[in-house]
Amino acid sequence: MDVDDDRDEDEGKEDRDVSGAIERSLAEICLAVREASADDALSAADLHSLVEKAAEKENEIVTADYNEADLHDFIPAYCGNNVTDGSVGLLGAGKSTQTMQLFQKVILQIFAANANADAAQKLAVLKAELGGTSITPYDPSSKPSANTTPLARFVSNRPEIPESASPALRAFAEARCEIMLDNLTVPINVQLAGNMLAVQGAGGWKNRDPMLHLYLLDDPEDDGFGTFESVEVGLDDVARHMEMDASRSLVYVSDGSRIKSYRWNVTEGRNALAVHTLNASGFKGPLALRDNGAKLIASGSSGLAVWDVDTLPTHGTKGNKIVGKKRRADYIDSWRDNDDNNIELSTGAPPTQRSSASALSKIKQWAMSPGGGNEMIVTYDEQYFVSRVDLQTEQIVGRYIGHGAHVASIRTSQEDPHAFVTAANDGIVRLYDVRQPVPVLAIEHSTEFINDALFEHIGGQPFIIFGGTQTQQVKVWDARAKLPLYELSTGNNEVNGLAWDAQRQTLYAATECEHVDRMGRHHGYRRAKLPKPPRHSRDDDGDDDMEEDEEDEDDWDGDGENNWPEQAYHSETSFGHLLDSAEHRLYRYAFKTDADIDLRPASGYSAIGDSYAQIMC
């Protein structure tokens, strides 16, 4: 070993020592806060001060780890009450197979060098750690019911369902569902309000156009979705924030400079009507509604903007009146292709009120506090911890620590006035009680970004539902038992957003296909590894059946629906039905006691090499 090797080994050991010290320091902060919050000796003011200081110190350490020390890609869970999902592999089927093929000879030589080691056994253990259960073929006997979809994969140690379970609980817990799909542009966000489901997306040339997909759920069509309409939103850039008002049938979308609203309950034969354009310059944060939809609020770099909805000017009955001043079309600075004049020329109505309170500034994510009232659960720009803010007093009234990465979503349950769940960019989903500053449960799923998580009570029982990006699945956990139940296939797509329709017992997953580029070309595909069709016995002349065999073989070998992404997390046999999306899709999982398991989607069209996907524009 030369001097350079010695130096590299010393530096590696030093990095590991520092990484371990950081993880221990973060764990000690959470432990101290947990113990202090359980100690009645501290006054409310003293506990608030302690948690504030702990949150600032945690934020300082995590920021330094990522920005200066650069020691972790993903900081492991340190908040306590964490449970690891043992079914999830580090890489999944596709990447682990490639890795094992690349290093198999070297690994065998290393293991074989140890006379006491069983090289083959150690190789199998390593393969299982990399691939997880995704490399194990689907077992039909694992289905808890004949009505369980073959696109659900159950964990081996799942909690039992009580005999007294309601039909709704049993249908969900046993994944008795019918699955349908609709093709999308690249989805960004999905929300449900009343009878309307809205998916916010990016489409058009190089995905530069803001899109809005609306589904009227009370008017189902043959595909199981509601009446569909796609709206090309008249904003300059792709919209990242959305809010819905069921009472006024309005959906608001924001690109950070302006906000537009559309009314969906219009007379038959008319498109969604453009109602408002609002000038949101300086308020590029998330949107929310207050006072039963009478006020729309948006956070910005210097405070909060408020619009009194019922007094705002509108675009009129035809949706084409100018609101505010009219911009010159040739002065619009946008990446969009505006040859069809789809960009709205109105500057928009200014905010009715503004607040410059620091507690309302630079908010990145928020949700109404589970108990309602004037409080919101929020995260701020450049901060990892979560805060609770009183909109009336404009003060931070609580903080919640335990996040080692930025929060991607915050969700609450209508049936629990104390709980909220967060999805974060460290592959961990955390469940909080607003009365406690540390998580009551932290689910260590995988080292990946998790874009959305739901906390829903179904049949009276709490479940956590979240979507993987690298792991390309919807995962369901029993929150009461603190155990995973099953995963649902997304056809090798990443999950960008989730919505639960309690009235219809239906889950929606807005998914993105990473194997399609912004020009619509597929990449990274290979032939699917499928069992060959059985060969039939020949007739006396041996001709007809041989031709049938050749046709079957041709279908198996090259069909555009029988390809598979090389780096897909799952293999072709991970589920009981072959499904590769090959495009961006909205999946609909409708849970029913007597679910028809034959109602399941087919794979999308893909081809090997440069080919164009059939993507919506």
Side-chain angles (χ1 to χ4, degrees), residues 11-288:
E11 290 177 354
K13 183 179 184 302
E14 182 180 347
D15 285 348
R16 289 191 296 272
D17 290 343
V18 175
S19 296
I22 286 175
E23 294 168 23
R24 288 192 297 273
S25 296
L26 292 170
E28 288 169 2
I29 290 173
C30 287
L31 178 60
V33 169
R34 178 177 282 109
E35 292 176 346
S37 63
D39 187 353
D40 294 335
L42 283 179
S43 68
D46 287 342
L47 180 61
H48 179 86
S49 177
L50 173 66
V51 177
E52 179 182 8
K53 293 176 181 177
E56 291 173 352
K57 177 56 68 175
E58 176 191 54
N59 200 72
E60 177 185 325
I61 294 173
V62 174
T63 299
D65 184 291
Y66 286 136
N67 296 345
E68 299 171 18
D70 194 23
L71 294 173
H72 291 93
D73 291 327
F74 297 89
I75 298 177
Y78 57 83
C79 54
N81 292 332
N82 50 296
V83 181
T84 301
D85 189 342
S87 67
V88 180
L90 295 174
L91 299 177
K95 292 181 180 179
S96 68
T97 298
Q98 292 179 332
T99 302
M100 294 300 291
Q101 289 173 347
L102 184 62
F103 294 110
Q104 185 167 358
K105 290 184 179 179
V106 176
I107 292 170
L108 283 173
Q109 290 173 357
I110 293 173
F111 286 150
N114 183 349
N116 297 322
D118 184 339
Q121 182 180 4
K122 288 186 177 295
L123 194 64
V125 171
L126 178 60
K127 185 177 180 181
E129 290 178 352
L130 294 177
T133 57
S134 65
I135 62 176
T136 306
Y138 174 80
D139 180 6
S141 67
S142 66
K143 292 175 55 174
S145 165
N147 297 102
T148 297
T149 175
L151 287 171
R153 186 181 179 107
F154 281 78
V155 299
S156 58
N157 63 334
R158 65 181 182 272
E160 293 185 4
I161 304 170
E163 292 295 331
S164 59
S166 67
L169 172 57
R170 185 165 297 279
F172 185 79
E174 294 184 346
R176 302 186 188 188
C177 62
E178 300 168 356
I179 307 175
M180 296 184 180
L181 69 92
D182 196 27
N183 295 328
L184 293 170
T185 54
V186 180
I188 295 172
N189 190 6
V190 58
Q191 283 191 28
L192 178 72
N195 63 353
M196 179 59 65
L197 180 78
V199 181
Q200 193 176 25
W205 176 251
K206 294 186 177 181
N207 296 328
R208 293 173 176 174
D209 294 349
M211 302 297 297
L212 182 63
H213 309 293
L214 301 174
Y215 299 86
L216 187 60
L217 302 179
D218 284 343
D219 187 18
E221 296 186 341
D222 292 340
D223 61 0
F225 287 88
T227 302
F228 169 75
E229 181 180 352
S230 181
V231 180
E232 190 163 351
V233 179
L235 295 171
D236 294 6
D237 300 303
V238 172
R240 301 289 174 182
H241 298 290
M242 176 169 63
E243 186 62 33
M244 301 178 71
D245 181 0
S247 64
R248 292 169 175 77
S249 300
L250 289 175
V251 54
Y252 299 88
V253 289
S254 170
D255 67 353
S257 61
R258 290 185 301 165
I259 301 169
K260 285 197 67 67
S261 76
Y262 293 88
R263 176 166 288 120
W264 65 74
N265 281 346
V266 294
T267 57
E268 185 176 355
R270 294 186 61 181
N271 295 328
L273 184 70
V275 179
H276 304 105
T277 297
L278 311 178
N279 187 340
S281 179
F283 300 95
K284 64 179 182 179
L287 308 177

